[in-house]
Amino acid sequence: MKKNSNLSVLSKDILVNLEQIVSNQDDAMVIKNIDQIIIHWSKIEHLIITILNETIPDKERISLQIKLNNIALYKEFTPQFKRQILLKRSADKQSEKFVETIKDLTTYSQKTLLTEMERYAKKTVYKTVTKSEKSEVTYAYQFYKNSTKLIEIFDTVNNSRNISEINALRVKAVSIFNQMASSGKSQYKYKKFANSWLAKVTAVYSGENSIFKVRYDVLRLGGVLDSIVSQQSQTVSEIETTSDNLSIKLQSIMESKKQDTLNTVSNINYVFLMLIILSISLSFVSIWIFVNKSLLIRLTKIRKKILKLSQGDVEIQIEVHKNDELGDMEDALGELKLYVEKAKKLSTRDSLTGLLNHGQFKQNLNAEIKRNARQKISLSLAIIDIDYFKEFNDSYGHPQGDKCLKQISKLIKQTFKRTGDSCYRIGGEEFAILMVNTDSDIQELKLRELQDEILKAGLKHEKSKVSELLTISAGIYSSIPDENDAFEDFYSKADIALYEAKKDRNTIVIQQ
């Protein structure tokens, strides 16, 4: 069960790292997140190998084996993944620089090319011009017009998300640029402004760092990275789902074994009861005429208590009245009562914390959904997770981890003590609180109270990323159940809220 819990935690950590790779602007942090993902994949790989060496259902075994093969590929191709991310980020930065370059070209075109073209044009109005001067004005006008077209192409390319469109625009840009570069006579005064503008355009237009090549790289690498991130995210989600399913199945198997144990105990009690009844009957037949009235009354009481105990009634009072054979029988009955009490407790309680266990949680939630649906009253469920509990265990050791779980459980029981509240330990560091006839706002207030009590307890957690003290996150789902609702409906919505809360940690999220 602990391995499955660790698998789920590591899977969620990888999702966080993948999200930060996509959103983070710092190259160093991106590399750090990639390295962290490799560490997490290695840990998950080790956990899966360990789980596969155990007895687990075939469906989960096949699923985990497939994921193991995927993980090997992710680890093998991580250097390429890292290189492609850096190339993509470099291309993105170059694409951003082109925005300023296009602005500079536009400014030069408007303030220099247009201004000079208009100046030459005005000269033709007030005097008789030569054929060469008229030709220069025509050249200037056409060059300025083509400069605006080329700028529009650059701007469109830098914002395009379609490779086919980029290729088409590149062909068009080549035609316009060649026309601009080859036109105009060398003796034209306007030629020096045109050549200056073409020199500025060359760095954008051609070479390995041209706007067309850079934009193509942005789209191509972006598609590859989106695919890689999507594949790894899907693998992580499938591993988490398989881990959760495996935890539930293993819990069910454990509950089944407990039930088998209880059935065995019940059979032993039955045999023991029959032996006692037979012994009493034989004794009664042989010596009944010698037994006085008070002894017969004691014997009748012992018989009634044995029958009640065999039916699971542990509320009976057993007293040893005399130091005789019947007193020995009463003493043995008291020992048997303790044994039955212990067996009943084991079937419903978590052995470490004393809270109700996962099996009882599932049974009680199903029952409360049906009851609250009939009465049309609100039912509220909170799922609690101790923040960075794996790091707590790694730092302080499992004995301290168990002590921490006991202390948190104690604070939970002290906070949720109202009639109708029930508290459960449903996984390694996960707890559930069920509150009947309660809405999400009231449960949130109680959870805030619990968070305050945990902070007052002052449990040190140096490895936490949100606080120097131990904290919790919680997800809440509250509604008036429908008669067709089932355990999975209610539980999954609260679990989704918990997943959102764990993104920030030390917070509470209400699922709407």
Side-chain angles (χ1 to χ4, degrees), residues 383 387 472-476 494-510:
I383 301 178
D387 293 327
I472 62 170
S473 298
I476 300 174
D495 193 50
I496 290 171
L498 174 62
Y499 177 75
E500 293 298 321
K502 288 177 69 176
K503 289 182 179 178
D504 296 326
R505 305 282 184 169
N506 192 24
T507 188
I508 299 169
V509 172
I510 298 174

Side-chain angles (χ1 to χ4, degrees), residues 52-65:
L52 288 174
N53 288 329
E54 299 175 355
T55 303
I56 62 173
D58 290 340
K59 182 179 179 181
E60 281 69 28
R61 178 178 295 279
I62 293 171
S63 177
L64 289 177
Q65 186 61 60

Side-chain angles (χ1 to χ4, degrees), residues 66-126:
I66 293 172
K67 303 306 175 295
L68 201 59
N69 296 334
N70 291 344
I71 291 171
L73 290 175
Y74 297 153
K75 291 173 64 180
E76 179 182 354
F77 290 104
T78 295
Q80 294 90 322
F81 180 34
K82 185 185 296 186
R83 189 160 53 251
Q84 287 178 325
I85 285 180
L86 293 178
L87 287 172
K88 168 67 164 55
R89 294 175 64 79
S90 176
D92 285 337
K93 291 176 182 178
Q94 185 63 36
S95 184
E96 292 173 2
K97 291 180 181 178
F98 280 133
V99 174
E100 294 300 320
T101 304
I102 291 170
K103 287 182 180 178
D104 291 342
L105 289 173
T106 302
T107 299
Y108 189 88
S109 178
Q110 296 298 320
K111 291 187 177 181
T112 301
L113 296 181
L114 178 61
T115 300
E116 292 299 323
M117 184 270 290
E118 289 176 341
R119 187 167 67 84
Y120 290 149
K122 287 178 182 178
K123 291 180 180 180
T124 64
V125 175
Y126 301 107

Side-chain angles (χ1 to χ4, degrees), residues 27 51 53 61 85 122 180 236 274 278 288 313 335 405 434 461-462:
D27 286 352
I51 292 172
N53 288 329
R61 178 178 295 279
I85 285 180
K122 287 178 182 178
M180 295 172 74
V236 165
M274 295 306 296
L278 180 60
W288 69 273
D313 184 359
E335 293 292 332
L405 288 172
L434 197 58
H461 191 349
E462 297 176 353

